[in-house]
Amino acid sequence: MRDTSVLNWPFFEARHRALAAKLDAWAADNLGGIDRRDTDAACRKLEAKLGEGGWLQLTAPGEGNERLDVRSLALVRETLASHDGLADFAFAMQGLGAGPISLYGNEAQRAAWLPRTRAGKAIAAFALTEPASGSDVANISTSARRDGAHFVLDGEKTWISNGGIADVYVVFARSGEAPGARGLSAFIVEAGNPGLAIAERIPVIAPHPLARLRFENCRVPADAMVGKPGEGFKVAMATLDVFRTTVGAAALGFARRAMVETAKRAATRELSGAPMADLQMVQGHLADMALDIDAAALLVYRAAWTKDQGVARVSREAAMAKLYATEAAQRVIDTAVQLHGGDGVRSGHPVEMLYREIRALRIYEGASDVQKIIIARAILSELSGANA
Ligand SMILES: Cc1cc2nc3c(=O)[nH]c(=O)nc-3n(C[C@H](O)[C@H](O)[C@H](O)COP(=O)(O)OP(=O)(O)OC[C@H]3O[C@@H](n4cnc5c(N)ncnc54)[C@H](O)[C@@H]3O)c2cc1C
């Protein structure tokens, strides 16, 4: 049994406890039996199932929820990740992909897309990274040139989750209002746009739909811009400010699953004539894992709760949550693999799958090194403000 004592912490309300319990039961009943051999088809199916189950309602405000509730998003990701990495991915990408529209879109944009992404009837993607600028976001070079009632996009995006299966891409491009970060804007680009091509599908260690996109003379109406001209960087960062914490929550879900698998193994495996769990060195590993998990949970739900209190930006808290939870989950899962012996590296074993699932979380939505820079800059600016 996964440890759910976190739900009794003061970060949560009764509705969160009810949500987590209901989703746990739903996931146990609904996520098995999906054929994973075709990742694209599996993802589409998961998106539809999550939509039918009503879970995607949480990924964008409206229809009862007036704003994104980060604690709910984080609890859903933790729970889904502990059951199924691809289901967590499908949920998360609807939120991240539609995030710029739900946070900055105008009424027409929100009405056009959010009811469909919330129902799992349209798949969303967030296209920021480029071949020459991943961590260095302010340096992106995909251009958006105004041409009468249109903008014309040219350039490449890469590592785009849901690339190839998405119906709608939010694309960040250089519109040139100012140099660097202040010269970017965000645009809605529909999958059928003739100027958008899937240049490459990218296979990764834990299969997810990913692609490199090419924009060639890609014309979008001027009203496809999300937010104001030159606000693209702000739109991207505000979206990440919400969803980065939830990457930590997914890592937490993976780590909790590793803990469950390891505790089962330690209780049932005999070593030198006694249960493995009796060995003190094994107990030491279990204690380290539990400590990492609880510390990660505290940081994740501190960041989620803080954002839900109406604080405009939680960059420091979100960066701490993502950094600590993803690094901790990697340690926890590595220990789980070790304590499973040969079975830990057997293809298809739950801990082998977790070992592959966790790795990318330390890289995307800002690598661990980048989170350290965000934290350090926030501390330095707080200190210089205090000393001024
Ligand atoms: C599975 C997966 C899914 C993704 N999904 C999306 C998506 O949906 N949309 C999207 O736009 N992007 C997506 N990405 C891209 C992801 O955000 C980038 O890969 C990430 O930001 C790192 O950029 P990069 O790969 O260009 O690495 P680089 O920028 O070349 O960085 C390489 C490494 O250098 C280190 N580093 C970087 N900057 C610094 C620094 N200032 N100081 C010290 N060390 C540093 C870090 O360890 C980093 O991992 C995804 C990536 C992966 C792997």
Side-chain angles (χ1 to χ4, degrees), residues 154-340:
D154 284 283
E156 279 200 354
K157 295 285 170 186
T158 192
W159 295 110
I160 306 309
S161 299
N162 278 343
I165 67 164
D167 299 288
V168 59
Y169 296 84
V170 175
V171 180
F172 297 86
R174 186 159 297 286
S175 43
E177 290 74 13
R182 283 172 296 122
L184 309 179
S185 300
F187 298 90
I188 295 172
V189 181
E190 296 192 34
N193 189 311
L196 163 61
I198 306 301
E200 179 192 7
R201 296 300 302 268
I202 309 173
V204 286
I205 56 173
H208 297 120
L210 276 170
R212 179 162 57 89
L213 316 177
R214 184 175 299 128
F215 299 88
E216 261 174 351
N217 200 22
C218 177
R219 296 176 74 79
V220 293
D223 64 10
M225 185 185 281
V226 180
K228 298 198 183 95
E231 269 193 358
F233 188 78
K234 183 171 130 187
V235 172
M237 292 307 125
T239 305
L240 290 174
D241 216 44
V242 171
F243 289 96
R244 204 166 254 162
T245 298
T246 76
V247 179
L252 183 59
F254 291 141
R256 285 202 198 280
R257 175 68 185 271
M259 183 62 154
V260 170
E261 297 295 332
T262 308
K264 268 196 295 194
R265 167 90 180 184
T268 52
R269 174 85 174 158
E270 295 251 319
L271 279 183
S272 313
M276 205 177 161
D278 286 357
L279 298 174
Q280 287 194 343
M281 205 134 36
V282 171
Q283 292 175 0
H285 283 308
L286 293 174
D288 286 342
M289 291 165 80
L291 191 59
D292 258 341
I293 288 171
D294 272 13
L298 280 163
L299 284 169
V300 164
Y301 291 112
R302 187 267 300 251
W305 175 85
T306 307
K307 184 74 183 169
D308 288 344
Q309 300 318 296
V311 176
R313 293 294 291 268
V314 291
S315 306
R316 184 175 77 110
E317 290 83 354
M320 284 184 169
K322 186 198 182 249
L323 171 64
Y324 191 86
T326 57
E327 295 286 334
Q330 182 84 62
R331 288 192 293 272
V332 167
I333 292 167
D334 188 58
T335 306
V337 168
Q338 189 70 17
L339 292 182
H340 275 78

Side-chain angles (χ1 to χ4, degrees), residues 126 128-129 134-135 159-161 210 360 363-365 367 369-370 373:
F126 178 90
L128 180 65
T129 304
S135 305
W159 295 110
I160 306 309
S161 299
L210 276 170
I363 297 172
Y364 67 62
E365 292 191 36
D369 315 75
V370 172
I373 294 169

